[in-house]
Amino acid sequence: MVARHRAAGGARGGSVVGRHRARAGVPEGHAVGQHGTRSVVPSDAGKSRGQILARGIVSSLAGKMVGLAAPLLITPLAFRSLGAERYGLWMAVTSLTSMALFADFGLGNGLLTRLARLHGTGERRAAAREISSAYAILGALSALLLVVLVGTLRWVPWPTLLSAADPAVARDARPVVLLCFGAFLVNIPIALIQRVQYAQQQVTQSNLWQAGGSLVSVALVYAAVTTEADPVLVIAAAVLAVPVVNLANSVCYFGWQARELRPRPRLVRAPVARGLLRLGTRFFLLSLLTSVVLNLDNVLISRVLGLPAAATYAVVVRMFALLTLFVTLVNMPLWAANGEALARGDLAWVRRTTSRMVALSAAVVALPGGALVFLGNDVIRVWVRTADFPSVPRTLLVGLAAWSLLLAVVAPLFMVQNSIGLLRPQFVGWAACLVLAVPLKIVLAQRVGLPGVALASAATYALTVLPAAVIGYRRVLTGGTPGAPTASEGRVVAAVGTAR
């Protein structure tokens, strides 16, 4: 999404940051501070930003390892305590909440984009208005959905829908639904603290709190199981830990660390809320589009080659999905860092860091991906531990390795575009990929089998999404407009505009 110019006489040429600085009347080497004042950009700002980014990447990887380990520790404890049917009931409800991962309608991403730029320009009062407006929107949404949940809980036949045969398990169905969905809905606004901390480049702090939530969850479940607590309390210990820790993080951050950013009803502004909703909606729609493109393969394979082939493909894809997961973790801290750098006019840092992150992301995927090409069948045999799993053609492994490598190379380019809300090139690329990939995958699946689907994924991605990513990246540096607001005391100006 490229925002329209809001100021008369705005220059049409030059870079994003150059025109932004020209409109603000800020010479090179300066940034717009709070209330429109100027502040000299420290000469070592790029070095400090790079150090923060490096710490954020390391803490993201460490935090994710803790996050992945927590379910591995909780599962055997909970399964023995709850029993197979009650545990299955819990997992069924959890899967329903997982389908609502876009419940914030992209507002978290929109807030991250706008706050990162305000952090770069030093406009703390404007940032407080953004935060207050975001909490107001998601708080109202969460409250409304909670009322709907409580109001319909007795009338929806949850025991029947969840196939609870045991009468004791059936009695627990509604309390489990209330716990899982309630915790999920309450966490929607509370989880905004993670976006706020990322935007302020306090990535390590945010990751430590998230890892703490995982550890608290393990500790509470262990305590509930060892004390032979009621099964519903065991589930409550698991699902309530994350929102409780996010709440504690919010209280500590807004109560002591950044009191000037604390959400306040009097700081909520309708123009700011509308700007957040516009940008958030675009992020939401883009997330839906990418989710369809990335998750359509199993549906196509099951229709063309049958369910056994879809099962085989799903297992192999999950193996490579770990690589792309780490790429996401490595690049996520880059989002806010780019926004702050662009706000300060530090284009050299953006170019240099993006090139390095492209190389790092490619290496993170290429080395293990190459190993999986040659050792993939051995890894699957050890992992799945069944003699019934068919041998995977090497061409399938090559196709998935190439596709994963392309995802890794493109990720840093998208982080630059996301940092100013430039989403149109991404929409075009992913839409073109969807239109081209579906018929090509069907044809190649019929003629080549599973390797054809993987090769089609890599080829269509290279032909559509990769060029769109490069074009969008260059547009940020040479020809777009910032997708974040600037503000002065007591009034809101230059809210995010509509797409051209």
Side-chain angles (χ1 to χ4, degrees), residues 64-78 87 214 217-218:
K64 191 61 181 181
M65 291 177 66
V66 174
L68 292 174
L72 298 178
L73 297 173
I74 289 175
T75 297
L77 291 171
Y87 182 83
S214 299
S217 179
V218 174

Side-chain angles (χ1 to χ4, degrees), residues 112-127:
L112 172 59
T113 295
R114 292 160 71 100
L115 282 184
R117 183 162 294 274
L118 291 173
H119 175 63
T121 58
E123 296 171 271
R124 304 288 280 180
R125 188 72 173 179

Side-chain angles (χ1 to χ4, degrees), residues 96-281:
L96 292 176
T97 61
S98 299
M99 294 169 63
L101 286 178
F102 306 122
D104 73 344
F105 295 100
L107 207 68
N109 288 336
L111 180 64
L112 172 59
T113 295
R114 292 160 71 100
L115 282 184
R117 183 162 294 274
L118 291 173
H119 175 63
T121 58
E123 296 171 271
R124 304 288 280 180
R125 188 72 173 179
R129 284 193 284 266
E130 297 284 338
I131 293 170
S132 298
S133 300
Y135 272 95
I137 295 170
L138 289 186
L141 174 65
S142 176
L144 176 62
L145 294 177
L146 279 171
V147 170
V148 173
L149 173 65
V150 173
T152 60
L153 190 64
R154 291 181 57 189
W155 307 108
V156 177
W158 286 111
T160 303
L161 292 176
L162 298 170
S163 303
D166 188 323
V169 175
R171 282 195 300 271
D172 290 341
R174 286 187 172 85
V176 170
V177 168
L178 181 61
L179 269 173
C180 293
F181 277 98
F184 173 79
L185 294 175
V186 167
N187 195 52
I188 290 175
I190 296 176
L192 281 176
I193 183 61
Q194 298 171 14
R195 301 297 187 179
V196 173
Q197 289 173 325
Y198 263 67
Q200 303 301 308
Q201 297 193 44
Q202 294 161 332
V203 179
T204 300
Q205 179 179 337
S206 178
N207 289 331
L208 288 175
W209 276 101
Q210 293 179 59
S214 299
L215 294 176
V216 168
S217 179
V218 174
L220 290 179
V221 170
Y222 179 79
V225 170
T226 54
T227 57
E228 299 182 354
D230 185 84
V232 175
L233 291 180
V234 174
I235 296 173
V239 302
L240 293 178
V242 171
V244 168
V245 170
N246 279 335
L247 178 61
N249 184 11
S250 303
V251 171
C252 292
Y253 187 78
F254 292 122
W256 291 280
Q257 188 173 349
R259 299 182 66 179
E260 72 278 8
L261 297 179
R262 182 190 305 170
R264 295 176 175 88
R266 61 184 175 85
L267 293 179
V268 176
R269 296 289 187 274
V272 173
R274 286 194 295 269
L276 281 168
L277 285 171
R278 282 196 296 269
L279 183 57
T281 299

Side-chain angles (χ1 to χ4, degrees), residues 319-320 323 361-377 379 394 397-405:
M319 183 171 60
F320 282 91
L323 303 181
S361 300
V364 166
V365 168
L367 296 178
L372 288 176
V373 169
F374 296 98
L375 303 174
N377 278 299
V379 172
R394 182 162 294 177
L397 299 174
V398 169
L400 290 176
W403 179 66
S404 301
L405 181 61

Side-chain angles (χ1 to χ4, degrees), residues 26-45:
V26 183
E28 272 314 303
H30 292 73
V32 180
Q34 191 174 358
H35 315 319
T37 59
R38 297 175 183 175
S39 58
V40 178
V41 178
S43 59
D44 61 345

